[in-house]
Amino acid sequence: MKRYFLLAVFLTLLQCTYYKPIIDTAGRSGTFNENKAHEITDDLQHCQKLAKNNTSFIGNIVYWIGSPEADTEYQSLYRKCLTNRGHSVLN
């Protein structure tokens, strides 16, 4: 029974490291007055690499436990990077 619980926890955490943000490419985020959709491909790649390079497995678990939205640190950094680049991130 303990083995199945650990497997379930591991698979859940493994799934948390995969994050594909949903972005409203027609909208504008915050105080940006122009549409940033033409830069989305570069921004997705840059933010994904930035989030991967600045997180760890243990750090993601600790962040996930304390997060009210149940986000990992990777998801949070990825989303924040895209938002700061002017994209409307829905999820």
Side-chain angles (χ1 to χ4, degrees):
M1 186 68 162
K2 185 178 180 181
R3 185 178 301 169
Y4 291 119
F5 175 73
L6 290 175
L7 181 63
V9 168
F10 177 74
L11 290 175
T12 301
L13 291 174
L14 186 63
Q15 191 66 289
C16 290
T17 60
Y18 176 77
Y19 173 65
K20 184 175 179 183
I22 300 171
I23 300 169
D24 179 12
T25 55
R28 290 163 178 75
S29 178
T31 60
F32 295 97
N33 292 328
E34 67 224 30
N35 189 350
K36 298 285 187 172
H38 64 280
E39 299 172 5
I40 189 66
T41 303
D42 292 336
D43 289 344
L44 283 170
Q45 291 175 355
H46 180 78
C47 290
Q48 182 181 31
K49 187 172 185 172
L50 185 107
K52 278 185 182 179
N53 290 342
N54 291 294
T55 57
S56 66
F57 183 73
I58 299 298
N60 278 324
I61 293 172
V62 171
Y63 192 90
W64 177 70
I65 290 171
S67 173
E69 295 89 19
D71 284 345
T72 61
E73 186 177 22
Y74 172 80
Q75 292 170 328
S76 178
L77 286 175
Y78 200 160
R79 185 180 303 117
K80 190 172 194 173
C81 177
L82 288 170
T83 302
N84 288 342
R85 289 174 175 267
H87 301 288
S88 294
V89 181
L90 303 177
N91 182 15

